Amino acid sequence: MSPALFRLLSRHRRGAVLASALLVAFLSLTLQARQDSAPATFAKRALLMTVAPFIKATAWVGGGARTVWREYVDLRGVQGENRRLRGDLQALQQRLEGLQEMAQENRRLQAVLEMPGPPAGRRVVARVIGKDATNWFRTLLIDRGSTDGLERSIPVLNPQGLVGRVVEVAPIVARIQLITDPMSSVGALIQRTRITGIAAGDGGANLRLRYLPLMTDVAVGDRVITSGMGGVFPKGIPLGTVVAVERRSGALFQEAVLDPAADLSRVEEVTALLPLANGAAALEGNGDGRDRPR
Amino acid sequence: MTPIGFLLALVGVCVVQGAAGARLTVAGVQPDLFLILAVGASLGAAPEAAAVMGFLAGIYQDALSGAPLGLRAFTLTLMAFGAARVGRELEASRPAAQFALLLGGAALAGAITLATLSFFFGSPPLLATLLRVIVPETFLTAALGTALLGAARLWRVARKAAA
């Protein structure tokens, strides 16, 4: 650096530092807006890895403390709960027998129709260790990463329904974009009428089911599942229930508001559906753009 | 604040906001601890140091969220630089004035983030973003920031008295 330039920068140090910081942020945003996000993804992963061990350790200690407290509290009402659970178990066993019968029937019918079954990839159970650090996006941090086989775009669910998809992967942690994130959209199907639409996050607690033809039958209480279109999410995962239908005058489509099947404000454990080794390409596919990560 | 002190505070904020952010929420909205850190650390600092601290706080907030890298870094760099300029006034003012200044600052940070997001990635729904994100976050962050500034002032007074 020439002495003249050095003197100039020293004289305008404040402005130079401010401009440099703003320029770096601006360039990073420009790269990501132009889809050339590899350097930004790498930088984000590196930054995440510097604090992820601390977050993981804190979540582990907090989880342990909560478990101890919960177990202590639970001990007090455990007998009554035990009786109730035995009753529930009996009812569930009866229901399970019925479902097993139906599953067998389903397999037989699928074989008859030569339909492909649900994806049988490996499942990885992960614990939620963090929430999005801003109020602008809806994402979660989980304690599994690329060392456990996680990749981008892998669907994530819990027993109630679809939670979201993996959007960032570091070696020991990964970030899930929730289905309610404003940048998320999922191919959806109304179970009763078989009408397809796109379930997009509204940034709040609900989803909006878009592009439903005006004359189609959509009613409050309809259950909505993933349509399987777009190749990211397997078909048939519960998405939510219609709680309102909106028809605006002059609009080409009607919209429905969905209450997500999974309680996304209280997710603690999730399951990631890993692709089969030879089915990885199918999961990566994004042909019609319906299942769209940011 | 020393550089080491700031880095330790940054790691602390990352852990608290990342691992315990869900427990800090009020009606689904969490206070912006990164903004409070960037502004709080910048109050007694030189503007160029404040810009660096704001940038670091923002870039880590981006890394711990679904935000594109640079979104909050851009915002917090500007906010920290501004806070260093008005630092003495903010520190010396009464709690009500501090709350008003922090309220304005948090609202400005929300507006800068919204403008940056709209410029690069398309505009999110304005009314929903205002009602669900910017307004509640602004009030929550200003209230917590004022409380923390008050606590810091009490801590300094107690240390002086002890000395």
Side-chain angles (χ1 to χ4, degrees), chain A residues 13-15 17-18 20-26 28-30 32-33 39-41 43-44 46-48 50-51 54-55 58-59 66 129-139 141 168 175 181-183 202-205 265 294, chain B residues 11 14-15 17-19 21-23 25 28-32 34 47-48 51-52 55 59-74 77-78 81 85 110 113-114 116-117 119-121 128-129 132-134 137:
Chain A
R13 199 172 59 232
R14 286 181 183 175
V17 171
L18 177 66
S20 305
L22 292 178
L23 188 67
V24 170
F26 193 87
S28 168
L29 288 167
T30 307
Q32 288 163 93
T41 306
K44 207 169 177 182
L47 288 167
L48 185 59
T50 60
V51 288
F54 298 107
I55 294 175
T58 308
R66 269 197 306 278
I129 57 167
K131 199 176 169 259
D132 199 290
T134 71
N135 293 305
W136 294 77
F137 301 91
R138 296 279 182 270
T139 65
L141 199 64
E168 285 167 23
R175 182 166 297 285
D181 185 277
M183 303 278 201
D202 71 350
S265 62
R294 185 180 53 249
Chain B
V11 171
C14 287
V15 168
Q17 189 106 45
R23 291 174 210 292
T25 55
V29 174
Q30 54 186 329
D32 191 344
F34 287 91
E48 58 271 31
V52 172
F55 179 80
I59 209 90
Y60 267 96
Q61 189 175 22
D62 290 331
L64 286 174
S65 79
L69 198 68
L71 180 71
R72 294 295 290 175
F74 191 85
T77 301
L78 286 172
F81 191 81
R85 290 295 183 110
T113 302
L114 179 62
T116 314
L117 198 59
F119 180 76
F120 284 100
F121 300 96
T129 308
R132 283 189 191 140
V133 180
I134 297 179
E137 181 183 282

Side-chain angles (χ1 to χ4, degrees), chain A residues 45-154:
Chain A
R45 196 181 304 154
L47 288 167
L48 185 59
M49 281 307 292
T50 60
V51 288
F54 298 107
I55 294 175
K56 220 170 162 175
T58 308
W60 186 78
V61 171
R66 269 197 306 278
T67 305
V68 168
W69 174 249
R70 217 177 283 159
E71 281 175 3
Y72 167 72
V73 171
D74 284 354
L75 269 177
R76 304 175 68 173
V78 76
Q79 275 188 334
E81 194 180 3
N82 203 9
R83 269 196 303 275
R84 188 176 58 77
L85 287 174
R86 279 176 196 275
D88 286 353
L89 184 64
Q90 277 182 354
L92 284 172
Q93 273 173 339
Q94 285 169 0
R95 205 170 149 204
L96 182 65
E97 281 165 16
L99 287 174
Q100 278 171 340
E101 189 55 39
M102 281 170 70
Q104 277 184 2
E105 187 183 344
N106 193 16
R107 270 197 293 273
R108 282 199 307 275
L109 290 172
Q110 276 186 352
V112 170
L113 295 170
E114 293 181 356
M115 281 168 58
R122 193 161 68 89
R123 288 164 187 247
V124 171
V125 177
R127 212 153 60 89
V128 175
I129 57 167
K131 199 176 169 259
D132 199 290
T134 71
N135 293 305
W136 294 77
F137 301 91
R138 296 279 182 270
T139 65
L140 295 174
L141 199 64
I142 56 171
D143 66 347
R144 302 288 184 140
S146 54
T147 50
D148 303 290
L150 262 58
E151 299 167 15
R152 262 179 74 98
S153 295
I154 281 177

Side-chain angles (χ1 to χ4, degrees), chain B residues 37-58:
Chain B
L37 172 68
V39 169
S42 303
L43 291 180
E48 58 271 31
V52 172
M53 289 192 286
F55 179 80
L56 282 175

